[in-house]
């Protein structure tokens, strides 16, 4: 594996990374998975601040166990613990945390918050989910796709549901960078942001890949991976009734899965999932589901990102 120097880099969105850099991180993550269980101390002496405005199981635990499991010091800080954006500006919090920590993870609402943390802290900042993007998730998703389907380039990933959410956005960007065909099946009012689609279009073209956005569930045909996410993301709880009405025809169930016409198609979901809404129990708990591997891969990919950007 050819080493690529990513020391000092933040991960705010995959738009800032080249396809080669993403491939390097995927190779590192693969190696981490093969070596899991080996007791190393690569994070000894390293402190990472974990800032959470929203809840988390997988992301928080992946960062905590990756750092803490190798002798480092992860410090969890929810908005009820620190002054961030309340009594103190984000810029000032960033300046202080940058003096005390080697890196910062942020999960919350605004993409501008994670950008400000990166601008003023002087240390690598990782986007652990904002309203706009969920990049660490997308890397784990590609790792899972490659474990089951081989190299991402030329494969077809199909996202069904809320096509304008953070997970769909990051999947679009990473697909564009890696040359994976990406289909979004969503009602017209939940289509991906036009500006993001416009930015990704030349990247798909450069890699001979296609990005298709449609309301027609028949577009799932030929998918190598079928992906869905909750209909109501964190912070949008008031939209629940509207979303259930809009997205019910887009539930990933046996009938929709059959539209792939691919017996080897795998099912992915970032989790947490609501069985009976975006996916049936039969699919998520069924033979083609890879959601538990996907959840485990969060740790390997997050570890790879930290090792590379901290130069460890
Ligand atoms: N997929 C994901 O980000 O899970 P958590 O919300 O539990 O971190
Ligand atoms: N779109 C979901 C992802 C959760 C991991 C949310 O933002 O709540």
């Amino acid at each position: 594996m050819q080493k690529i120097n990513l020391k000092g880099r933040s991960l705010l969105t995959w738009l800032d990374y080249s396809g080669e850099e993403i491939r390097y991180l995927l190779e590192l993550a693969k190696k981490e998975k093969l070596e899991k269980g080996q007791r190393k101390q690569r994070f000894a002496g390293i402190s990472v601040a974990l800032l959470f405005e929203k809840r988390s199981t997988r992301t928080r635990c992946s960062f905590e166990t990756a750092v803490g499991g190798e002798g480092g010091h992860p410090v969890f800080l929810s908005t009820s613990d620190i002054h961030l954006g309340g009594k103190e500006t984000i810029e000032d919090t960033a300046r202080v945390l940058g003096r005390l920590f080697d890196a910062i993870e942020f999960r919350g609402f605004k993409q501008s918050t994670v950008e400000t943390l990166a601008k003023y802290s002087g240390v690598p900042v990782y986007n652990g989910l904002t309203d706009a993007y969920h990049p660490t998730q997308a890397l784990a998703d590609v790792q899972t796709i490659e474990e089951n389907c081989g190299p991402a380039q030329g494969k077809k990933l199909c996202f069904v549901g809320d096509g304008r959410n953070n997970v769909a956005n990051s999947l679009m960007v990473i697909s564009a960078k890696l040359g994976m065909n990406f289909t979004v099946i969503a009602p017209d009012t939940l289509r991906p942001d036009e500006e993001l689609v416009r930015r990704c279009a030349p990247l798909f073209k450069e890699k001979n890949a296609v990005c298709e956005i449609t309301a027609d569930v028949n577009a799932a045909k030929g998918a190598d991976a079928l992906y869905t996410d909750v209909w109501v993301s964190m912070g949008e709880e008031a939209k629940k009734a509207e979303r259930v009405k809009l997205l019910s025809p887009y539930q990933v169930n046996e009938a929709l899965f059959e539209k792939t016409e691919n017996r080897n198609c795998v099912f992915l979901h970032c989790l947490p999932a609501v069985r009976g809404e975006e996916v049936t129990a039969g699919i998520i708990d069924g033979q083609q589901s890879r959601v538990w591997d996907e959840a485990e891969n969060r740790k390997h990919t997050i570890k790879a990102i930290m090792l590379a950007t901290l130069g460890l």
Side-chain angles (χ1 to χ4, degrees):
M1 176 175 30
Q2 176 82 35
K3 189 176 159 85
I4 298 183
N5 185 5
L6 298 176
K7 191 172 177 186
R9 295 270 295 273
S10 288
L11 172 55
L12 311 180
T13 159
W14 290 119
L15 286 166
D16 302 333
Y17 280 70
S18 69
E20 291 67 36
E21 289 169 340
I22 298 171
R23 284 242 54 90
Y24 172 64
L25 290 170
L26 282 165
E27 290 309 313
L28 270 188
K30 201 164 145 186
K31 187 163 169 280
E32 286 310 309
K33 189 166 189 174
L34 286 171
E35 293 175 1
K36 85 173 171 185
Q38 288 186 17
R39 301 279 171 255
K40 298 180 188 169
Q41 289 289 305
R42 289 172 294 179
F43 289 96
I46 297 285
S47 301
V48 182
L50 306 176
L51 273 48
F52 282 82
E53 288 179 345
K54 293 177 177 172
R55 285 171 188 264
S56 170
T57 300
R58 282 143 286 269
T59 309
R60 173 183 175 176
C61 296
S62 294
F63 274 100
E64 288 220 18
T65 57
V67 174
E70 290 212 29
H73 186 203
V75 178
F76 176 78
L77 298 161
S78 79
T79 36
S80 45
D81 299 310
I82 55 168
H83 300 296
L84 181 80
K87 202 173 174 185
E88 191 165 56
T89 63
I90 297 158
E91 287 84 345
D92 287 358
T93 303
R95 289 180 178 109
V96 174
L97 295 180
R99 298 286 181 108
L100 305 180
F101 290 91
D102 298 283
I104 300 167
E105 178 275 355
F106 172 80
R107 164 173 288 202
F109 295 90
K110 294 183 186 160
Q111 181 71 11
S112 61
T113 306
V114 79
E115 286 167 1
T116 305
L117 288 168
K119 188 168 172 194
Y120 291 93
S121 66
V123 296
V125 170
Y126 313 118
N127 180 353
L129 179 149
T130 60
D131 289 346
Y133 295 111
H134 197 2
T136 63
Q137 177 70 50
L139 195 66
D141 299 337
V142 175
Q143 181 176 17
T144 315
I145 290 169
E146 296 202 328
E147 286 170 352
N148 288 280
C149 312
Q153 183 153 22
K155 297 295 181 311
K156 175 172 173 173
L157 167 62
C158 182
F159 181 94
V160 188
D162 178 7
R164 41 139 296 284
N165 83 8
N166 40 20
V167 169
N169 287 347
S170 283
L171 288 173
M172 180 182 295
V173 178
I174 207 164
S175 298
K177 294 278 180 169
L178 296 174
M180 181 160 58
N181 299 304
F182 186 57
T183 298
V184 178
I185 302 179
D188 288 341
T189 49
L190 295 174
R191 286 168 67 92
D193 175 54
E194 280 304 325
E195 171 61 19
L196 184 66
V197 175
R198 201 188 50 73
R199 278 187 82 177
C200 291
L203 303 170
F204 277 109
K205 200 164 172 206
E206 195 184 301
K207 292 268 179 357
N208 274 325
V210 176
C211 179
E212 184 187 9
I213 299 163
T214 175
D216 181 4
V217 290
N218 292 306
K221 187 173 173 181
D224 295 289
L226 201 56
Y227 197 121
T228 192
D229 184 10
V230 288
W231 288 344
V232 183
S233 286
M234 289 180 276
E236 299 184 326
E237 288 74 13
K239 295 194 189 298
K240 170 102 180 174
E242 176 192 322
R243 290 285 169 77
V244 169
K245 205 167 151 199
L246 258 175
L247 286 165
S248 290
Y250 297 89
Q251 181 189 62
V252 178
N253 51 32
E254 283 70 7
L256 201 147
F257 213 83
E258 274 178 22
K259 294 203 179 284
T260 65
E261 296 180 23
N262 176 10
R263 288 175 51 211
N264 298 319
C265 177
V266 292
F267 172 73
L268 300 178
H269 190 309
C270 55
L271 306 177
V274 187
R275 287 173 178 75
E277 288 194 6
E278 75 274 7
V279 62
T280 57
I283 294 292
I284 194 169
D285 300 321
Q287 281 213 326
Q288 294 310 111
S289 177
R290 297 292 180 273
V291 299
W292 313 119
D293 293 334
E294 188 183 3
E296 176 188 330
N297 289 341
R298 297 297 309 286
K299 177 169 175 174
H300 304 306
T301 44
I302 279 172
K303 201 179 217 182
I305 291 162
M306 287 193 290
L307 288 169
T309 57
L310 290 167
L312 300 173

PDB file of all heavy atoms in Angstrom, residues 54-55 58-59 107 128-131 134 137 162 165-168 229-230 232-237 270-272 298, ligand 2:
ATOM      1  N   LYS A  54     -25.860  16.125  19.328  1.00  0.00           N
ATOM      2  CA  LYS A  54     -26.929  15.152  19.065  1.00  0.00           C
ATOM      3  C   LYS A  54     -26.514  13.817  19.652  1.00  0.00           C
ATOM      4  O   LYS A  54     -25.323  13.582  19.880  1.00  0.00           O
ATOM      5  CB  LYS A  54     -27.125  14.991  17.550  1.00  0.00           C
ATOM      6  CG  LYS A  54     -27.670  16.202  16.833  1.00  0.00           C
ATOM      7  CD  LYS A  54     -27.738  15.934  15.321  1.00  0.00           C
ATOM      8  CE  LYS A  54     -28.339  17.099  14.553  1.00  0.00           C
ATOM      9  NZ  LYS A  54     -28.224  16.918  13.094  1.00  0.00           N
ATOM     10  N   ARG A  55     -27.498  12.925  19.820  1.00  0.00           N
ATOM     11  CA  ARG A  55     -27.210  11.603  20.388  1.00  0.00           C
ATOM     12  C   ARG A  55     -26.379  10.741  19.444  1.00  0.00           C
ATOM     13  O   ARG A  55     -26.366  10.981  18.236  1.00  0.00           O
ATOM     14  CB  ARG A  55     -28.516  10.853  20.628  1.00  0.00           C
ATOM     15  CG  ARG A  55     -29.283  11.333  21.816  1.00  0.00           C
ATOM     16  CD  ARG A  55     -30.646  10.667  21.791  1.00  0.00           C
ATOM     17  NE  ARG A  55     -31.488  11.236  22.818  1.00  0.00           N
ATOM     18  CZ  ARG A  55     -31.643  10.702  24.022  1.00  0.00           C
ATOM     19  NH1 ARG A  55     -31.037   9.575  24.343  1.00  0.00           N
ATOM     20  NH2 ARG A  55     -32.405  11.290  24.909  1.00  0.00           N
ATOM     21  N   ARG A  58     -23.095   4.467  17.737  1.00  0.00           N
ATOM     22  CA  ARG A  58     -21.977   3.953  16.955  1.00  0.00           C
ATOM     23  C   ARG A  58     -20.809   4.924  16.827  1.00  0.00           C
ATOM     24  O   ARG A  58     -19.648   4.536  17.006  1.00  0.00           O
ATOM     25  CB  ARG A  58     -22.449   3.575  15.533  1.00  0.00           C
ATOM     26  CG  ARG A  58     -23.174   2.275  15.452  1.00  0.00           C
ATOM     27  CD  ARG A  58     -24.294   2.358  14.448  1.00  0.00           C
ATOM     28  NE  ARG A  58     -25.366   3.145  15.016  1.00  0.00           N
ATOM     29  CZ  ARG A  58     -26.388   2.629  15.718  1.00  0.00           C
ATOM     30  NH1 ARG A  58     -26.479   1.343  15.842  1.00  0.00           N
ATOM     31  NH2 ARG A  58     -27.312   3.397  16.272  1.00  0.00           N
ATOM     32  N   THR A  59     -21.104   6.174  16.520  1.00  0.00           N
ATOM     33  CA  THR A  59     -20.028   7.120  16.244  1.00  0.00           C
ATOM     34  C   THR A  59     -19.232   7.397  17.514  1.00  0.00           C
ATOM     35  O   THR A  59     -18.003   7.305  17.534  1.00  0.00           O
ATOM     36  CB  THR A  59     -20.616   8.417  15.652  1.00  0.00           C
ATOM     37  OG1 THR A  59     -21.475   8.055  14.569  1.00  0.00           O
ATOM     38  CG2 THR A  59     -19.531   9.355  15.172  1.00  0.00           C
ATOM     39  N   ARG A 107     -20.200  16.278  16.451  1.00  0.00           N
ATOM     40  CA  ARG A 107     -21.509  15.884  15.901  1.00  0.00           C
ATOM     41  C   ARG A 107     -22.526  16.939  16.311  1.00  0.00           C
ATOM     42  O   ARG A 107     -22.640  17.273  17.498  1.00  0.00           O
ATOM     43  CB  ARG A 107     -21.963  14.523  16.413  1.00  0.00           C
ATOM     44  CG  ARG A 107     -23.456  14.308  16.153  1.00  0.00           C
ATOM     45  CD  ARG A 107     -23.958  12.943  16.473  1.00  0.00           C
ATOM     46  NE  ARG A 107     -23.486  11.979  15.496  1.00  0.00           N
ATOM     47  CZ  ARG A 107     -24.060  10.808  15.256  1.00  0.00           C
ATOM     48  NH1 ARG A 107     -25.155  10.464  15.923  1.00  0.00           N
ATOM     49  NH2 ARG A 107     -23.572   9.972  14.375  1.00  0.00           N
ATOM     50  N   GLY A 128     -18.503  14.143  12.725  1.00  0.00           N
ATOM     51  CA  GLY A 128     -19.189  12.923  13.171  1.00  0.00           C
ATOM     52  C   GLY A 128     -20.673  12.961  12.872  1.00  0.00           C
ATOM     53  O   GLY A 128     -21.428  12.182  13.458  1.00  0.00           O
ATOM     54  N   LEU A 129     -21.094  13.826  12.001  1.00  0.00           N
ATOM     55  CA  LEU A 129     -22.473  14.029  11.485  1.00  0.00           C
ATOM     56  C   LEU A 129     -22.905  15.470  11.755  1.00  0.00           C
ATOM     57  O   LEU A 129     -22.796  15.969  12.873  1.00  0.00           O
ATOM     58  CB  LEU A 129     -23.487  13.061  12.125  1.00  0.00           C
ATOM     59  CG  LEU A 129     -24.977  13.156  11.719  1.00  0.00           C
ATOM     60  CD1 LEU A 129     -25.663  11.785  11.795  1.00  0.00           C
ATOM     61  CD2 LEU A 129     -25.737  14.151  12.585  1.00  0.00           C
ATOM     62  N   THR A 130     -23.358  16.087  10.671  1.00  0.00           N
ATOM     63  CA  THR A 130     -24.055  17.379  10.763  1.00  0.00           C
ATOM     64  C   THR A 130     -25.341  17.231   9.962  1.00  0.00           C
ATOM     65  O   THR A 130     -25.576  16.179   9.356  1.00  0.00           O
ATOM     66  CB  THR A 130     -23.223  18.529  10.155  1.00  0.00           C
ATOM     67  OG1 THR A 130     -22.993  18.220   8.771  1.00  0.00           O
ATOM     68  CG2 THR A 130     -21.909  18.732  10.876  1.00  0.00           C
ATOM     69  N   ASP A 131     -26.136  18.291   9.914  1.00  0.00           N
ATOM     70  CA  ASP A 131     -27.351  18.231   9.100  1.00  0.00           C
ATOM     71  C   ASP A 131     -26.995  17.983   7.623  1.00  0.00           C
ATOM     72  O   ASP A 131     -27.800  17.427   6.879  1.00  0.00           O
ATOM     73  CB  ASP A 131     -28.130  19.554   9.195  1.00  0.00           C
ATOM     74  CG  ASP A 131     -28.769  19.740  10.575  1.00  0.00           C
ATOM     75  OD1 ASP A 131     -28.840  18.753  11.338  1.00  0.00           O
ATOM     76  OD2 ASP A 131     -29.178  20.880  10.881  1.00  0.00           O
ATOM     77  N   HIS A 134     -22.388  13.162   6.633  1.00  0.00           N
ATOM     78  CA  HIS A 134     -21.978  12.139   7.603  1.00  0.00           C
ATOM     79  C   HIS A 134     -20.809  11.348   6.978  1.00  0.00           C
ATOM     80  O   HIS A 134     -20.951  10.173   6.641  1.00  0.00           O
ATOM     81  CB  HIS A 134     -23.169  11.235   7.929  1.00  0.00           C
ATOM     82  CG  HIS A 134     -23.002  10.418   9.173  1.00  0.00           C
ATOM     83  ND1 HIS A 134     -21.886  10.490   9.991  1.00  0.00           N
ATOM     84  CD2 HIS A 134     -23.817   9.471   9.742  1.00  0.00           C
ATOM     85  CE1 HIS A 134     -22.029   9.647  11.001  1.00  0.00           C
ATOM     86  NE2 HIS A 134     -23.181   9.020  10.871  1.00  0.00           N
ATOM     87  N   GLN A 137     -19.432   7.841   8.247  1.00  0.00           N
ATOM     88  CA  GLN A 137     -20.384   6.771   7.942  1.00  0.00           C
ATOM     89  C   GLN A 137     -20.171   6.256   6.518  1.00  0.00           C
ATOM     90  O   GLN A 137     -20.113   5.045   6.282  1.00  0.00           O
ATOM     91  CB  GLN A 137     -21.815   7.303   8.089  1.00  0.00           C
ATOM     92  CG  GLN A 137     -22.880   6.302   7.722  1.00  0.00           C
ATOM     93  CD  GLN A 137     -22.986   5.160   8.727  1.00  0.00           C
ATOM     94  OE1 GLN A 137     -23.075   5.394   9.919  1.00  0.00           O
ATOM     95  NE2 GLN A 137     -22.961   3.927   8.248  1.00  0.00           N
ATOM     96  N   ASP A 162     -35.192   9.433   2.149  1.00  0.00           N
ATOM     97  CA  ASP A 162     -34.999  10.886   2.264  1.00  0.00           C
ATOM     98  C   ASP A 162     -33.712  11.274   1.528  1.00  0.00           C
ATOM     99  O   ASP A 162     -32.635  11.313   2.114  1.00  0.00           O
ATOM    100  CB  ASP A 162     -34.927  11.267   3.752  1.00  0.00           C
ATOM    101  CG  ASP A 162     -34.689  12.752   3.958  1.00  0.00           C
ATOM    102  OD1 ASP A 162     -34.719  13.513   2.959  1.00  0.00           O
ATOM    103  OD2 ASP A 162     -34.465  13.156   5.120  1.00  0.00           O
ATOM    104  N   ASN A 165     -30.905  13.918   2.858  1.00  0.00           N
ATOM    105  CA  ASN A 165     -30.331  13.933   4.204  1.00  0.00           C
ATOM    106  C   ASN A 165     -28.801  13.775   4.191  1.00  0.00           C
ATOM    107  O   ASN A 165     -28.178  13.571   3.140  1.00  0.00           O
ATOM    108  CB  ASN A 165     -31.061  12.947   5.137  1.00  0.00           C
ATOM    109  CG  ASN A 165     -30.593  11.515   5.019  1.00  0.00           C
ATOM    110  OD1 ASN A 165     -29.610  11.202   4.348  1.00  0.00           O
ATOM    111  ND2 ASN A 165     -31.315  10.615   5.668  1.00  0.00           N
ATOM    112  N   ASN A 166     -28.226  13.917   5.383  1.00  0.00           N
ATOM    113  CA  ASN A 166     -26.769  13.884   5.541  1.00  0.00           C
ATOM    114  C   ASN A 166     -26.124  12.606   5.005  1.00  0.00           C
ATOM    115  O   ASN A 166     -25.068  12.654   4.359  1.00  0.00           O
ATOM    116  CB  ASN A 166     -26.431  14.089   7.027  1.00  0.00           C
ATOM    117  CG  ASN A 166     -27.383  13.353   7.966  1.00  0.00           C
ATOM    118  OD1 ASN A 166     -28.062  12.402   7.573  1.00  0.00           O
ATOM    119  ND2 ASN A 166     -27.432  13.789   9.215  1.00  0.00           N
ATOM    120  N   VAL A 167     -26.774  11.464   5.235  1.00  0.00           N
ATOM    121  CA  VAL A 167     -26.199  10.186   4.804  1.00  0.00           C
ATOM    122  C   VAL A 167     -26.219  10.095   3.270  1.00  0.00           C
ATOM    123  O   VAL A 167     -25.214   9.754   2.642  1.00  0.00           O
ATOM    124  CB  VAL A 167     -26.954   9.014   5.473  1.00  0.00           C
ATOM    125  CG1 VAL A 167     -26.580   7.682   4.858  1.00  0.00           C
ATOM    126  CG2 VAL A 167     -26.676   9.004   6.979  1.00  0.00           C
ATOM    127  N   ALA A 168     -27.351  10.444   2.669  1.00  0.00           N
ATOM    128  CA  ALA A 168     -27.456  10.426   1.202  1.00  0.00           C
ATOM    129  C   ALA A 168     -26.427  11.377   0.585  1.00  0.00           C
ATOM    130  O   ALA A 168     -25.772  11.042  -0.406  1.00  0.00           O
ATOM    131  CB  ALA A 168     -28.867  10.818   0.769  1.00  0.00           C
ATOM    132  N   ASP A 229     -32.218   4.937   5.146  1.00  0.00           N
ATOM    133  CA  ASP A 229     -31.943   5.608   6.419  1.00  0.00           C
ATOM    134  C   ASP A 229     -33.300   6.031   6.991  1.00  0.00           C
ATOM    135  O   ASP A 229     -34.328   5.963   6.300  1.00  0.00           O
ATOM    136  CB  ASP A 229     -31.049   6.838   6.154  1.00  0.00           C
ATOM    137  CG  ASP A 229     -30.608   7.560   7.431  1.00  0.00           C
ATOM    138  OD1 ASP A 229     -30.819   7.022   8.534  1.00  0.00           O
ATOM    139  OD2 ASP A 229     -30.071   8.683   7.308  1.00  0.00           O
ATOM    140  N   VAL A 230     -33.293   6.480   8.226  1.00  0.00           N
ATOM    141  CA  VAL A 230     -34.555   6.889   8.864  1.00  0.00           C
ATOM    142  C   VAL A 230     -35.266   7.955   8.023  1.00  0.00           C
ATOM    143  O   VAL A 230     -34.628   8.722   7.314  1.00  0.00           O
ATOM    144  CB  VAL A 230     -34.317   7.444  10.294  1.00  0.00           C
ATOM    145  CG1 VAL A 230     -33.961   6.327  11.258  1.00  0.00           C
ATOM    146  CG2 VAL A 230     -33.256   8.543  10.299  1.00  0.00           C
ATOM    147  N   VAL A 232     -36.985  10.345   9.391  1.00  0.00           N
ATOM    148  CA  VAL A 232     -36.930  11.591  10.155  1.00  0.00           C
ATOM    149  C   VAL A 232     -35.572  11.658  10.851  1.00  0.00           C
ATOM    150  O   VAL A 232     -35.313  10.910  11.793  1.00  0.00           O
ATOM    151  CB  VAL A 232     -38.058  11.629  11.210  1.00  0.00           C
ATOM    152  CG1 VAL A 232     -38.057  12.957  11.948  1.00  0.00           C
ATOM    153  CG2 VAL A 232     -39.416  11.381  10.579  1.00  0.00           C
ATOM    154  N   SER A 233     -34.719  12.540  10.373  1.00  0.00           N
ATOM    155  CA  SER A 233     -33.382  12.660  10.976  1.00  0.00           C
ATOM    156  C   SER A 233     -33.440  13.448  12.278  1.00  0.00           C
ATOM    157  O   SER A 233     -34.421  14.162  12.548  1.00  0.00           O
ATOM    158  CB  SER A 233     -32.439  13.356   9.992  1.00  0.00           C
ATOM    159  OG  SER A 233     -32.101  12.473   8.953  1.00  0.00           O
ATOM    160  N   MET A 234     -32.367  13.332  13.053  1.00  0.00           N
ATOM    161  CA  MET A 234     -32.299  14.055  14.333  1.00  0.00           C
ATOM    162  C   MET A 234     -32.468  15.554  14.090  1.00  0.00           C
ATOM    163  O   MET A 234     -31.817  16.117  13.201  1.00  0.00           O
ATOM    164  CB  MET A 234     -30.965  13.767  15.024  1.00  0.00           C
ATOM    165  CG  MET A 234     -30.877  12.342  15.545  1.00  0.00           C
ATOM    166  SD  MET A 234     -29.304  11.993  16.370  1.00  0.00           S
ATOM    167  CE  MET A 234     -28.266  11.576  14.975  1.00  0.00           C
ATOM    168  N   GLY A 235     -33.342  16.160  14.847  1.00  0.00           N
ATOM    169  CA  GLY A 235     -33.601  17.597  14.699  1.00  0.00           C
ATOM    170  C   GLY A 235     -34.821  17.883  13.849  1.00  0.00           C
ATOM    171  O   GLY A 235     -35.275  19.023  13.762  1.00  0.00           O
ATOM    172  N   GLU A 236     -35.374  16.846  13.176  1.00  0.00           N
ATOM    173  CA  GLU A 236     -36.527  17.065  12.275  1.00  0.00           C
ATOM    174  C   GLU A 236     -37.789  16.399  12.810  1.00  0.00           C
ATOM    175  O   GLU A 236     -38.725  16.136  12.047  1.00  0.00           O
ATOM    176  CB  GLU A 236     -36.218  16.460  10.903  1.00  0.00           C
ATOM    177  CG  GLU A 236     -35.023  17.061  10.213  1.00  0.00           C
ATOM    178  CD  GLU A 236     -34.823  16.504   8.810  1.00  0.00           C
ATOM    179  OE1 GLU A 236     -35.118  15.313   8.589  1.00  0.00           O
ATOM    180  OE2 GLU A 236     -34.401  17.271   7.952  1.00  0.00           O
ATOM    181  N   GLU A 237     -37.814  16.114  14.094  1.00  0.00           N
ATOM    182  CA  GLU A 237     -38.895  15.309  14.685  1.00  0.00           C
ATOM    183  C   GLU A 237     -40.284  15.860  14.365  1.00  0.00           C
ATOM    184  O   GLU A 237     -41.240  15.095  14.218  1.00  0.00           O
ATOM    185  CB  GLU A 237     -38.691  15.187  16.210  1.00  0.00           C
ATOM    186  CG  GLU A 237     -37.526  14.284  16.632  1.00  0.00           C
ATOM    187  CD  GLU A 237     -36.140  14.889  16.427  1.00  0.00           C
ATOM    188  OE1 GLU A 237     -36.034  16.109  16.173  1.00  0.00           O
ATOM    189  OE2 GLU A 237     -35.135  14.130  16.508  1.00  0.00           O
ATOM    190  N   CYS A 270     -27.384   2.860   7.918  1.00  0.00           N
ATOM    191  CA  CYS A 270     -26.393   3.420   8.846  1.00  0.00           C
ATOM    192  C   CYS A 270     -26.735   3.108  10.303  1.00  0.00           C
ATOM    193  O   CYS A 270     -25.861   3.092  11.156  1.00  0.00           O
ATOM    194  CB  CYS A 270     -26.262   4.922   8.634  1.00  0.00           C
ATOM    195  SG  CYS A 270     -27.844   5.785   8.775  1.00  0.00           S
ATOM    196  N   LEU A 271     -28.046   2.885  10.578  1.00  0.00           N
ATOM    197  CA  LEU A 271     -28.566   2.665  11.934  1.00  0.00           C
ATOM    198  C   LEU A 271     -28.445   3.959  12.760  1.00  0.00           C
ATOM    199  O   LEU A 271     -27.528   4.730  12.505  1.00  0.00           O
ATOM    200  CB  LEU A 271     -27.856   1.519  12.644  1.00  0.00           C
ATOM    201  CG  LEU A 271     -27.816   0.159  11.907  1.00  0.00           C
ATOM    202  CD1 LEU A 271     -26.999  -0.839  12.722  1.00  0.00           C
ATOM    203  CD2 LEU A 271     -29.228  -0.368  11.671  1.00  0.00           C
ATOM    204  N   PRO A 272     -29.319   4.232  13.711  1.00  0.00           N
ATOM    205  CA  PRO A 272     -30.399   3.362  14.160  1.00  0.00           C
ATOM    206  C   PRO A 272     -31.529   3.262  13.127  1.00  0.00           C
ATOM    207  O   PRO A 272     -31.753   4.206  12.363  1.00  0.00           O
ATOM    208  CB  PRO A 272     -30.894   4.058  15.432  1.00  0.00           C
ATOM    209  CG  PRO A 272     -30.521   5.496  15.267  1.00  0.00           C
ATOM    210  CD  PRO A 272     -29.258   5.506  14.482  1.00  0.00           C
ATOM    211  N   ARG A 298     -17.543   0.995  11.214  1.00  0.00           N
ATOM    212  CA  ARG A 298     -17.422   2.377  11.671  1.00  0.00           C
ATOM    213  C   ARG A 298     -16.127   2.550  12.466  1.00  0.00           C
ATOM    214  O   ARG A 298     -15.425   3.545  12.332  1.00  0.00           O
ATOM    215  CB  ARG A 298     -18.612   2.785  12.555  1.00  0.00           C
ATOM    216  CG  ARG A 298     -19.984   2.787  11.880  1.00  0.00           C
ATOM    217  CD  ARG A 298     -20.074   3.786  10.753  1.00  0.00           C
ATOM    218  NE  ARG A 298     -19.637   5.106  11.161  1.00  0.00           N
ATOM    219  CZ  ARG A 298     -20.316   5.960  11.951  1.00  0.00           C
ATOM    220  NH1 ARG A 298     -21.508   5.628  12.377  1.00  0.00           N
ATOM    221  NH2 ARG A 298     -19.825   7.145  12.263  1.00  0.00           N
TER     222      ARG A 298
HETATM  223  N1  LIG B   2     -29.942  10.783   8.940  1.00  0.00           N
HETATM  224  C1  LIG B   2     -29.802  10.310  10.305  1.00  0.00           C
HETATM  225  C2  LIG B   2     -28.523   9.556  10.470  1.00  0.00           C
HETATM  226  C3  LIG B   2     -28.286   8.999  11.838  1.00  0.00           C
HETATM  227  C4  LIG B   2     -26.982   8.285  11.944  1.00  0.00           C
HETATM  228  C5  LIG B   2     -29.879  11.484  11.257  1.00  0.00           C
HETATM  229  O1  LIG B   2     -29.288  12.525  10.974  1.00  0.00           O
HETATM  230  O2  LIG B   2     -30.549  11.369  12.290  1.00  0.00           O
END
